[in-house]
Amino acid sequence: MKKIFSFLLLLFWLGSPLLAQTPKKVEFTEYTLENGLHVILHQDKSVPLVAVTVLYHVGSKNENPDRTGFAHFFEHLLFEGSQNIGRGEFDDYVERAGGTLNANTSFDRTFYYELLPSNQLELGLWLESERMLHAKVDNIGIETQRQVVKEERRQRIDNQPYGTMMENVFKLAYEKHPYKWPVIGYMEHLDAAQENDYKTFYETFYVPNNATLSIAGDIDIEETKKKIELYFGSIPKGKGEIPRPNVTEEPQTAERRGVIEDNIQLPAVIHAYKTPSIRQDDYYAVSMLMTLLSEGQSSRLRKSIQDKQNKALFIGAFPFGLEDSPSMSMVFALANLGSGTTPETLEAAMDEEYEKVKNELISEREHEKLINQIETQFYSQNSSMAGIAENLANYHVYYGDADLINTEIEKYRKVTRQDIQRVAQKYLNKENRVVLYYVPKKG
């Protein structure tokens, strides 16, 4: 009895609102160098670490339609070295200093980072300044990384079950916008490209006025400013305007369907709906709608189709946070063949759940749960120095407001139950979607 009482007391203590901690505001300093490089600095001396990150506002959507895959290719190529860093030594410098590094590419941006002991801040600044000014863009590195990217495509897309799903969905969904080609690009474009094509891409996009340097961790703000000026201040500004796609994707008026035969055992149904970009207010309600449908064991789709009806072995829904409009929200479901489910019966069950959200207002309890889930996700993204540095850069580049790292949660809190029903009615319509069936290859 005493143990039970102690356990209940612990639960009360952990859940008491009087003891709940308000998330700490992320303080930061930001400014722009004369060459256009935007700088954001966040000081946190709780641990002796520093994250040095650079976000280049270039993704696959900025590519020439005949030279796709360049943004992702450069994510690899710019680890080759520079005039002052030997080929293949980029990683060695960071690892010898006890740090880690990586990069990633999306439709809208390319992001590089080093996580280092705070006494190695200058190392991170030097490496990123070398990447920006003196990167090796030559045939040796190009051919090396061309083979790396080809192998990556084979492993992650061509030879991976359902690996071509994203590529096929976006190709069917977009008719004009550059989102229609995959981030990894087409290998024939990379094969056809010459050294000068790669140099032109580097000189166009890897310039300070197309970059955001975001640093978070155990730093002295004023000293860091001096070091940034030393390493980046003399890098010349890009010579021309940064090319941005200026394409209007016509509204979709009819459902688009396709069937893909793949080396798989279980059929899959994919629904992809055109939804608002991250810059539009409806994005927040759509994001919460997707969370309602599939986040957690008690979510709508998982509870009904996966657990009760036993028609799916897995089902998930998620929004793509794309910069341009329209963006995309997807639902992916694997059929449970053991229960006799076919793609057609699985799709019918999915459509039934969409109609419930469109026709019935969600409960106050569900809405409260959604807010709690979103808050957990929001604050967990800022639980590390790397996460803070990346989010500060994202908010500046996409919204022109880095302080959204503190305030964006309010936009979610303002989303009402009626808003969620409204966006379900507005966007979850057959004429606004792409449908793909993935089925096992015959024979």
Side-chain angles (χ1 to χ4, degrees):
M1 187 68 171
K2 190 178 293 185
K3 289 182 178 179
I4 294 175
F5 176 78
S6 299
F7 177 68
L8 292 174
L9 185 64
L10 176 63
L11 285 181
F12 171 80
W13 184 82
L14 290 174
S16 172
L18 295 175
L19 297 171
Q21 291 186 343
T22 302
K24 187 177 179 181
K25 182 179 180 181
V26 177
E27 302 286 352
F28 60 91
T29 299
E30 64 178 330
Y31 61 99
T32 304
L33 299 183
E34 289 186 7
N35 58 14
L37 177 66
H38 194 75
V39 180
I40 308 176
L41 305 176
H42 166 68
Q43 182 187 71
D44 184 337
K45 291 185 171 292
S46 59
V47 290
L49 295 174
V50 63
V52 179
T53 77
V54 180
L55 187 156
Y56 291 92
H57 197 183
V58 53
S60 60
K61 75 175 184 190
N62 300 94
E63 297 162 350
N64 184 318
D66 297 324
R67 291 291 182 267
T68 65
F70 268 47
H72 172 259
F73 189 86
F74 267 81
E75 174 199 323
H76 290 265
L77 184 63
L78 295 196
F79 282 96
E80 277 288 304
S82 72
Q83 291 182 14
N84 300 305
I85 300 174
R87 196 174 299 280
E89 291 182 0
F90 213 102
D91 291 13
D92 294 341
Y93 276 107
V94 174
E95 291 170 1
R96 283 198 298 266
T100 60
L101 74 167
N102 214 327
N104 56 69
T105 310
S106 73
F107 292 99
D108 299 312
R109 61 150 213 190
T110 307
F111 183 75
Y112 300 86
Y113 71 88
E114 292 86 30
L115 185 61
L116 295 159
S118 53
N119 62 1
Q120 296 295 322
L121 169 63
E122 271 194 88
L123 172 62
L125 295 176
W126 175 63
L127 291 172
E128 290 303 333
S129 65
E130 283 291 305
R131 197 196 308 270
M132 188 179 293
L133 180 61
H134 292 137
K136 284 181 179 175
V137 183
D138 57 27
N139 279 324
I140 298 176
I142 290 169
E143 188 54 39
T144 299
Q145 295 307 320
R146 192 163 13 219
Q147 301 310 314
V148 170
V149 172
K150 284 182 177 181
E151 181 60 24
E152 180 180 350
R153 181 179 174 92
R154 283 191 287 268
Q155 290 186 3
R156 293 176 53 187
I157 298 177
D158 298 335
N159 298 327
Q160 185 76 18
Y162 316 100
T164 60
M165 178 187 71
M166 296 291 300
E167 185 172 321
N168 285 311
V169 165
F170 277 77
K171 183 166 58 177
L172 195 56
Y174 293 93
E175 295 181 328
K176 295 182 180 180
H177 197 281
Y179 288 153
K180 67 183 180 180
W181 58 74
V183 172
I184 201 169
Y186 299 115
M187 292 304 100
E188 58 266 28
H189 293 170
L190 294 177
D191 283 336
Q194 303 298 312
E195 181 178 342
N196 191 58
D197 294 322
Y198 292 99
K199 287 185 175 180
T200 298
F201 190 88
Y202 176 70
E203 292 167 359
T204 301
F205 294 105
Y206 279 81
V207 291
N209 47 304
N210 193 44
T212 298
L213 171 66
S214 182
I215 301 174
D218 181 16
I219 60 173
D220 179 278
I221 297 293
E222 294 306 316
E223 285 300 314
T224 301
K225 285 182 178 181
K226 294 176 184 177
K227 292 174 181 177
I228 289 171
E229 181 63 37
L230 175 66
Y231 285 100
F232 291 90
S234 62
I235 298 177
K237 185 177 183 179
K239 296 179 181 178
E241 290 292 322
I242 306 298
R244 307 281 180 213
N246 184 21
V247 179
T248 300
E249 185 75 22
E250 297 298 328
Q252 187 174 321
T253 58
E255 186 180 65
R256 301 171 187 172
R257 303 182 71 93
V259 177
I260 306 295
E261 292 188 1
D262 198 5
N263 288 321
I264 56 176
Q265 294 180 324
L266 299 175
V269 176
I270 300 99
H271 287 162
Y273 292 91
K274 300 283 184 60
T275 50
S277 78
I278 56 175
R279 294 180 172 181
Q280 297 172 282
D281 288 340
D282 271 359
Y283 172 78
Y284 297 101
V286 169
S287 179
M288 292 180 71
L289 171 61
M290 294 298 112
T291 301
L292 170 77
L293 289 175
S294 76
E295 185 70 28
Q297 290 294 333
S298 61
S299 58
R300 292 286 185 96
L301 295 176
R302 294 179 67 176
K303 188 175 181 180
S304 174
I305 299 175
Q306 188 171 335
D307 297 338
K308 288 186 177 180
Q309 301 180 50
N310 202 28
K311 290 182 178 178
L313 294 178
F314 169 83
I315 190 164
F318 51 95
F320 279 89
L322 300 178
E323 182 179 17
D324 289 357
S325 183
S327 187
M328 186 82 71
S329 293
M330 291 179 57
V331 183
F332 174 84
L334 283 178
N336 183 2
L337 297 181
S339 63
T341 303
T342 65
E344 289 78 12
T345 57
L346 178 55
E347 182 178 13
M350 294 161 70
D351 284 337
E352 185 177 341
E353 291 303 315
Y354 306 151
E355 290 303 312
K356 289 180 183 178
V357 183
K358 292 162 70 174
N359 297 324
E360 303 166 9
L361 199 64
I362 69 170
S363 68
E364 291 184 359
R365 182 178 180 181
E366 273 187 304
H367 185 247
E368 183 179 355
K369 176 188 172 184
L370 275 177
I371 295 295
N372 291 336
Q373 287 176 305
I374 295 295
E375 287 182 346
T376 299
Q377 294 168 7
F378 182 81
Y379 291 119
S380 65
Q381 291 173 356
N382 298 328
S383 61
S384 68
M385 293 303 100
I388 290 174
E390 182 173 6
N391 285 330
L392 285 168
N394 282 336
Y395 284 125
H396 165 71
V397 170
Y398 295 140
Y399 304 95
D401 182 8
D403 196 48
L404 281 170
I405 197 170
N406 296 307
T407 63
E408 190 185 35
I409 189 62
E410 295 303 325
K411 295 180 180 290
Y412 287 102
R413 289 172 177 153
K414 289 178 181 178
V415 174
T416 65
R417 295 185 295 152
Q418 290 78 9
D419 288 329
I420 293 171
Q421 183 181 37
R422 176 181 57 80
V423 296
Q425 294 170 345
K426 184 176 181 179
Y427 300 108
L428 298 189
N429 298 307
K430 291 184 178 181
E431 65 270 16
N432 185 48
R433 76 182 182 185
V434 164
V435 180
L436 283 183
Y437 285 2
Y438 263 69
V439 297
K441 282 186 177 179
K442 296 176 181 177

